[in-house]
Short mmCIF file of all heavy atoms in Angstrom, two decimals:
data_model
loop_
_atom_site.label_atom_id
_atom_site.label_comp_id
_atom_site.label_asym_id
_atom_site.label_seq_id
_atom_site.Cartn_x
_atom_site.Cartn_y
_atom_site.Cartn_z
N ASN A 1 -3.07 19.88 -20.78
CA ASN A 1 -1.86 19.44 -21.48
C ASN A 1 -1.54 17.97 -21.29
O ASN A 1 -0.80 17.39 -22.11
CB ASN A 1 -0.67 20.27 -21.00
CG ASN A 1 -0.78 21.72 -21.38
OD1 ASN A 1 -1.11 22.06 -22.52
ND2 ASN A 1 -0.52 22.62 -20.45
N LEU A 2 -2.03 17.34 -20.22
CA LEU A 2 -1.66 15.96 -19.91
C LEU A 2 -2.88 15.04 -19.87
O LEU A 2 -3.97 15.46 -19.57
CB LEU A 2 -0.95 15.90 -18.58
CG LEU A 2 0.36 16.68 -18.43
CD1 LEU A 2 0.90 16.55 -17.00
CD2 LEU A 2 1.42 16.21 -19.43
N ALA A 3 -2.63 13.76 -20.17
CA ALA A 3 -3.68 12.75 -20.10
C ALA A 3 -3.04 11.39 -19.81
O ALA A 3 -1.86 11.18 -20.07
CB ALA A 3 -4.48 12.69 -21.38
N TYR A 4 -3.85 10.51 -19.21
CA TYR A 4 -3.43 9.16 -18.92
C TYR A 4 -4.46 8.20 -19.50
O TYR A 4 -5.68 8.45 -19.38
CB TYR A 4 -3.27 8.92 -17.41
CG TYR A 4 -3.00 7.49 -17.06
CD1 TYR A 4 -1.70 6.99 -17.08
CD2 TYR A 4 -4.03 6.61 -16.69
CE1 TYR A 4 -1.42 5.67 -16.77
CE2 TYR A 4 -3.77 5.29 -16.35
CZ TYR A 4 -2.48 4.82 -16.41
OH TYR A 4 -2.20 3.47 -16.10
N VAL A 5 -4.00 7.12 -20.12
CA VAL A 5 -4.93 6.18 -20.73
C VAL A 5 -4.48 4.74 -20.46
O VAL A 5 -3.28 4.43 -20.40
CB VAL A 5 -5.02 6.42 -22.25
CG1 VAL A 5 -3.70 6.17 -22.95
CG2 VAL A 5 -6.10 5.58 -22.90
N ILE A 6 -5.45 3.86 -20.29
CA ILE A 6 -5.21 2.43 -20.24
C ILE A 6 -5.35 1.95 -21.69
O ILE A 6 -6.45 2.04 -22.28
CB ILE A 6 -6.23 1.70 -19.34
CG1 ILE A 6 -6.14 2.23 -17.90
CG2 ILE A 6 -6.01 0.20 -19.36
CD1 ILE A 6 -7.23 1.72 -16.97
N PRO A 7 -4.28 1.46 -22.30
CA PRO A 7 -4.34 1.08 -23.73
C PRO A 7 -5.41 0.01 -24.00
O PRO A 7 -5.66 -0.90 -23.20
CB PRO A 7 -2.94 0.52 -24.00
CG PRO A 7 -2.08 1.19 -22.96
CD PRO A 7 -2.94 1.27 -21.76
N GLU A 8 -6.02 0.13 -25.17
CA GLU A 8 -7.15 -0.77 -25.49
C GLU A 8 -6.74 -2.22 -25.63
O GLU A 8 -7.56 -3.13 -25.52
CB GLU A 8 -7.84 -0.27 -26.76
CG GLU A 8 -6.97 -0.22 -27.97
CD GLU A 8 -7.65 0.45 -29.17
OE1 GLU A 8 -8.60 1.23 -28.95
OE2 GLU A 8 -7.24 0.18 -30.31
N GLU A 9 -5.45 -2.48 -25.95
CA GLU A 9 -5.00 -3.89 -26.04
C GLU A 9 -4.94 -4.56 -24.68
O GLU A 9 -4.89 -5.79 -24.58
CB GLU A 9 -3.61 -3.97 -26.70
CG GLU A 9 -3.54 -3.42 -28.10
CD GLU A 9 -3.08 -1.99 -28.13
OE1 GLU A 9 -3.17 -1.30 -27.09
OE2 GLU A 9 -2.61 -1.54 -29.20
N GLY A 10 -4.90 -3.74 -23.62
CA GLY A 10 -4.75 -4.27 -22.25
C GLY A 10 -3.52 -3.68 -21.62
O GLY A 10 -2.69 -2.98 -22.25
N ALA A 11 -3.35 -3.94 -20.34
CA ALA A 11 -2.23 -3.39 -19.59
C ALA A 11 -2.00 -4.24 -18.33
O ALA A 11 -2.78 -5.15 -18.04
CB ALA A 11 -2.50 -1.94 -19.19
N THR A 12 -0.98 -3.91 -17.59
CA THR A 12 -0.74 -4.61 -16.35
C THR A 12 -1.44 -3.87 -15.22
O THR A 12 -1.63 -2.65 -15.25
CB THR A 12 0.77 -4.70 -16.02
OG1 THR A 12 1.36 -3.40 -16.00
CG2 THR A 12 1.48 -5.55 -17.05
N MET A 13 -1.85 -4.66 -14.24
CA MET A 13 -2.45 -4.12 -13.04
C MET A 13 -1.53 -4.46 -11.88
O MET A 13 -1.07 -5.62 -11.75
CB MET A 13 -3.83 -4.77 -12.82
CG MET A 13 -4.47 -4.51 -11.46
SD MET A 13 -6.02 -5.42 -11.31
CE MET A 13 -6.41 -5.09 -9.59
N TYR A 14 -1.19 -3.51 -11.05
CA TYR A 14 -0.32 -3.80 -9.92
C TYR A 14 -1.10 -3.70 -8.62
O TYR A 14 -2.15 -3.06 -8.53
CB TYR A 14 0.87 -2.83 -9.89
CG TYR A 14 0.51 -1.37 -9.66
CD1 TYR A 14 0.33 -0.89 -8.35
CD2 TYR A 14 0.37 -0.48 -10.71
CE1 TYR A 14 -0.04 0.45 -8.11
CE2 TYR A 14 0.00 0.86 -10.48
CZ TYR A 14 -0.19 1.30 -9.20
OH TYR A 14 -0.53 2.62 -8.99
N GLN A 15 -0.60 -4.33 -7.63
CA GLN A 15 -1.11 -4.19 -6.26
C GLN A 15 0.06 -4.29 -5.30
O GLN A 15 0.82 -5.24 -5.36
CB GLN A 15 -2.15 -5.26 -5.92
CG GLN A 15 -2.67 -5.14 -4.49
CD GLN A 15 -3.69 -6.21 -4.16
OE1 GLN A 15 -4.63 -6.41 -4.91
NE2 GLN A 15 -3.53 -6.90 -3.04
N GLU A 16 0.21 -3.27 -4.47
CA GLU A 16 1.23 -3.27 -3.45
C GLU A 16 0.59 -3.59 -2.12
O GLU A 16 -0.50 -3.11 -1.80
CB GLU A 16 1.97 -1.92 -3.35
CG GLU A 16 3.22 -1.86 -4.20
CD GLU A 16 2.91 -1.69 -5.68
OE1 GLU A 16 2.39 -0.68 -6.10
OE2 GLU A 16 3.24 -2.64 -6.44
N ASN A 17 1.27 -4.42 -1.33
CA ASN A 17 0.79 -4.79 -0.01
C ASN A 17 1.79 -4.29 1.04
O ASN A 17 2.97 -4.08 0.74
CB ASN A 17 0.61 -6.31 0.11
CG ASN A 17 -0.53 -6.81 -0.76
OD1 ASN A 17 -1.35 -6.03 -1.22
ND2 ASN A 17 -0.56 -8.12 -0.99
N MET A 18 1.28 -4.10 2.24
CA MET A 18 2.10 -3.57 3.34
C MET A 18 2.53 -4.74 4.22
O MET A 18 1.68 -5.39 4.85
CB MET A 18 1.24 -2.58 4.12
CG MET A 18 2.03 -1.61 4.99
SD MET A 18 0.91 -0.43 5.88
CE MET A 18 0.19 0.45 4.49
N CYS A 19 3.83 -5.02 4.23
CA CYS A 19 4.34 -6.21 4.94
C CYS A 19 5.36 -5.82 6.00
O CYS A 19 6.12 -4.86 5.81
CB CYS A 19 4.98 -7.18 3.96
SG CYS A 19 3.89 -7.73 2.62
N VAL A 20 5.42 -6.60 7.06
CA VAL A 20 6.41 -6.41 8.11
C VAL A 20 7.53 -7.43 7.91
O VAL A 20 7.26 -8.62 7.74
CB VAL A 20 5.78 -6.58 9.51
CG1 VAL A 20 6.83 -6.41 10.61
CG2 VAL A 20 4.63 -5.59 9.70
N LEU A 21 8.74 -6.96 7.94
CA LEU A 21 9.89 -7.85 7.75
C LEU A 21 10.12 -8.72 9.00
O LEU A 21 9.92 -8.24 10.14
CB LEU A 21 11.16 -7.04 7.48
CG LEU A 21 11.23 -6.41 6.07
CD1 LEU A 21 12.35 -5.36 6.03
CD2 LEU A 21 11.44 -7.47 5.02
N LYS A 22 10.55 -9.91 8.80
CA LYS A 22 10.86 -10.79 9.91
C LYS A 22 12.02 -10.20 10.73
O LYS A 22 12.13 -10.38 11.93
CB LYS A 22 11.23 -12.19 9.41
CG LYS A 22 11.37 -13.24 10.51
CD LYS A 22 11.58 -14.61 9.94
CE LYS A 22 10.29 -15.17 9.35
NZ LYS A 22 9.29 -15.52 10.38
N SER A 23 12.88 -9.42 10.05
CA SER A 23 14.02 -8.77 10.72
C SER A 23 13.66 -7.41 11.31
O SER A 23 14.54 -6.72 11.84
CB SER A 23 15.16 -8.62 9.73
OG SER A 23 14.75 -7.78 8.64
N ALA A 24 12.40 -7.01 11.24
CA ALA A 24 11.99 -5.68 11.71
C ALA A 24 12.35 -5.47 13.19
O ALA A 24 11.99 -6.30 14.04
CB ALA A 24 10.49 -5.48 11.51
N PRO A 25 13.01 -4.37 13.54
CA PRO A 25 13.35 -4.11 14.94
C PRO A 25 12.17 -3.59 15.75
O PRO A 25 12.22 -3.59 16.97
CB PRO A 25 14.47 -3.07 14.84
CG PRO A 25 14.27 -2.39 13.53
CD PRO A 25 13.67 -3.43 12.60
N HIS A 26 11.10 -3.14 15.07
CA HIS A 26 9.99 -2.53 15.79
C HIS A 26 8.67 -3.14 15.34
O HIS A 26 7.81 -2.45 14.76
CB HIS A 26 9.96 -1.02 15.61
CG HIS A 26 11.31 -0.36 15.84
ND1 HIS A 26 12.08 0.12 14.82
CD2 HIS A 26 12.01 -0.17 16.98
CE1 HIS A 26 13.21 0.61 15.33
NE2 HIS A 26 13.18 0.45 16.64
N LYS A 27 8.51 -4.41 15.55
CA LYS A 27 7.33 -5.14 15.05
C LYS A 27 6.02 -4.65 15.63
O LYS A 27 5.00 -4.54 14.94
CB LYS A 27 7.48 -6.64 15.32
CG LYS A 27 8.60 -7.33 14.54
CD LYS A 27 8.63 -8.81 14.81
CE LYS A 27 9.65 -9.54 13.95
NZ LYS A 27 11.01 -9.20 14.27
N SER A 28 6.02 -4.27 16.91
CA SER A 28 4.80 -3.79 17.55
C SER A 28 4.39 -2.47 16.92
O SER A 28 3.20 -2.26 16.62
CB SER A 28 5.03 -3.61 19.05
OG SER A 28 3.88 -3.03 19.67
N ASN A 29 5.31 -1.57 16.71
CA ASN A 29 5.00 -0.28 16.07
C ASN A 29 4.54 -0.48 14.64
O ASN A 29 3.68 0.24 14.14
CB ASN A 29 6.22 0.64 16.12
CG ASN A 29 6.54 1.13 17.52
OD1 ASN A 29 5.73 0.97 18.43
ND2 ASN A 29 7.68 1.72 17.70
N ALA A 30 5.13 -1.47 13.97
CA ALA A 30 4.75 -1.75 12.59
C ALA A 30 3.29 -2.15 12.50
O ALA A 30 2.54 -1.72 11.66
CB ALA A 30 5.66 -2.84 12.03
N LYS A 31 2.86 -3.03 13.42
CA LYS A 31 1.47 -3.46 13.39
C LYS A 31 0.54 -2.30 13.72
O LYS A 31 -0.57 -2.19 13.16
CB LYS A 31 1.24 -4.61 14.37
CG LYS A 31 -0.19 -5.19 14.23
CD LYS A 31 -0.35 -6.52 14.95
CE LYS A 31 -1.75 -7.07 14.73
NZ LYS A 31 -1.98 -8.36 15.36
N LYS A 32 0.96 -1.41 14.63
CA LYS A 32 0.16 -0.22 14.90
C LYS A 32 -0.06 0.60 13.63
O LYS A 32 -1.13 1.16 13.41
CB LYS A 32 0.85 0.64 15.98
CG LYS A 32 0.81 0.02 17.38
CD LYS A 32 1.57 0.93 18.35
CE LYS A 32 1.58 0.29 19.73
NZ LYS A 32 2.36 1.10 20.70
N PHE A 33 0.98 0.66 12.79
CA PHE A 33 0.85 1.44 11.56
C PHE A 33 -0.11 0.77 10.60
O PHE A 33 -0.94 1.43 9.97
CB PHE A 33 2.21 1.63 10.88
CG PHE A 33 2.18 2.56 9.72
CD1 PHE A 33 2.24 3.94 9.91
CD2 PHE A 33 2.08 2.08 8.41
CE1 PHE A 33 2.19 4.83 8.84
CE2 PHE A 33 2.03 2.96 7.33
CZ PHE A 33 2.08 4.33 7.54
N LEU A 34 -0.05 -0.57 10.49
CA LEU A 34 -0.99 -1.28 9.61
C LEU A 34 -2.42 -1.05 10.09
O LEU A 34 -3.33 -0.83 9.28
CB LEU A 34 -0.66 -2.77 9.63
CG LEU A 34 0.25 -3.31 8.55
CD1 LEU A 34 1.63 -2.64 8.60
CD2 LEU A 34 0.42 -4.85 8.66
N GLU A 35 -2.63 -1.08 11.38
CA GLU A 35 -3.97 -0.87 11.93
C GLU A 35 -4.42 0.58 11.72
O GLU A 35 -5.58 0.84 11.43
CB GLU A 35 -3.99 -1.23 13.42
CG GLU A 35 -3.81 -2.72 13.66
CD GLU A 35 -3.68 -3.09 15.13
OE1 GLU A 35 -3.23 -2.23 15.94
OE2 GLU A 35 -4.01 -4.22 15.46
N PHE A 36 -3.50 1.52 11.84
CA PHE A 36 -3.79 2.94 11.60
C PHE A 36 -4.22 3.15 10.15
O PHE A 36 -5.17 3.88 9.86
CB PHE A 36 -2.53 3.77 11.90
CG PHE A 36 -2.71 5.25 11.65
CD1 PHE A 36 -3.36 6.06 12.56
CD2 PHE A 36 -2.13 5.81 10.53
CE1 PHE A 36 -3.48 7.43 12.32
CE2 PHE A 36 -2.23 7.17 10.28
CZ PHE A 36 -2.93 7.99 11.18
N PHE A 37 -3.58 2.44 9.23
CA PHE A 37 -3.87 2.63 7.80
C PHE A 37 -5.19 2.03 7.42
O PHE A 37 -5.74 2.37 6.35
CB PHE A 37 -2.75 2.06 6.95
CG PHE A 37 -2.71 2.61 5.56
CD1 PHE A 37 -1.98 3.77 5.30
CD2 PHE A 37 -3.41 2.04 4.53
CE1 PHE A 37 -1.95 4.33 4.02
CE2 PHE A 37 -3.42 2.59 3.25
CZ PHE A 37 -2.68 3.73 3.00
N MET A 38 -5.75 1.13 8.21
CA MET A 38 -7.05 0.56 7.88
C MET A 38 -8.21 1.49 8.19
O MET A 38 -9.36 1.21 7.82
CB MET A 38 -7.23 -0.79 8.62
CG MET A 38 -6.38 -1.90 8.05
SD MET A 38 -6.82 -3.56 8.63
CE MET A 38 -6.31 -3.44 10.35
N LYS A 39 -7.94 2.62 8.83
CA LYS A 39 -8.99 3.60 9.05
C LYS A 39 -9.46 4.14 7.71
O LYS A 39 -8.61 4.55 6.88
CB LYS A 39 -8.48 4.74 9.95
CG LYS A 39 -8.11 4.33 11.36
CD LYS A 39 -7.66 5.56 12.16
CE LYS A 39 -7.33 5.17 13.61
NZ LYS A 39 -6.94 6.37 14.41
N PRO A 40 -10.74 4.17 7.45
CA PRO A 40 -11.21 4.64 6.12
C PRO A 40 -10.71 6.01 5.73
O PRO A 40 -10.32 6.23 4.58
CB PRO A 40 -12.74 4.63 6.31
CG PRO A 40 -12.98 3.61 7.35
CD PRO A 40 -11.83 3.73 8.30
N GLU A 41 -10.68 6.95 6.69
CA GLU A 41 -10.29 8.31 6.35
C GLU A 41 -8.78 8.37 5.99
O GLU A 41 -8.36 9.19 5.16
CB GLU A 41 -10.55 9.26 7.49
CG GLU A 41 -9.81 9.01 8.80
CD GLU A 41 -10.48 8.04 9.74
OE1 GLU A 41 -11.34 7.24 9.25
OE2 GLU A 41 -10.16 8.06 10.92
N ILE A 42 -7.98 7.46 6.56
CA ILE A 42 -6.54 7.44 6.25
C ILE A 42 -6.33 6.81 4.87
O ILE A 42 -5.57 7.34 4.04
CB ILE A 42 -5.78 6.64 7.33
CG1 ILE A 42 -5.91 7.34 8.69
CG2 ILE A 42 -4.32 6.53 6.94
CD1 ILE A 42 -5.40 8.77 8.73
#
């Protein structure tokens, strides 16, 4: 019943990045999460 298509005229491409806020209260834990996410299986 459903389908998704990239229109032939073109479309936008997005990319989201994982960033730590300068105001982050848990910067060490945040970096641990970034490193955890770099595992291929994750």
Side-chain angles (χ1 to χ4, degrees):
N1 295 313
L2 299 177
Y4 173 83
V5 64
I6 299 172
E8 60 187 23
E9 299 95 341
T12 57
M13 170 184 172
Y14 65 84
Q15 179 179 310
E16 267 75 66
N17 292 345
M18 198 179 297
C19 303
V20 179
L21 287 166
K22 190 173 286 289
S23 61
H26 311 108
K27 292 183 175 69
S28 176
N29 289 349
K31 187 167 183 179
K32 288 178 183 177
F33 188 81
L34 267 60
E35 292 174 334
F36 178 78
F37 201 88
M38 287 192 292
K39 295 181 178 182
E41 65 272 21
I42 298 300

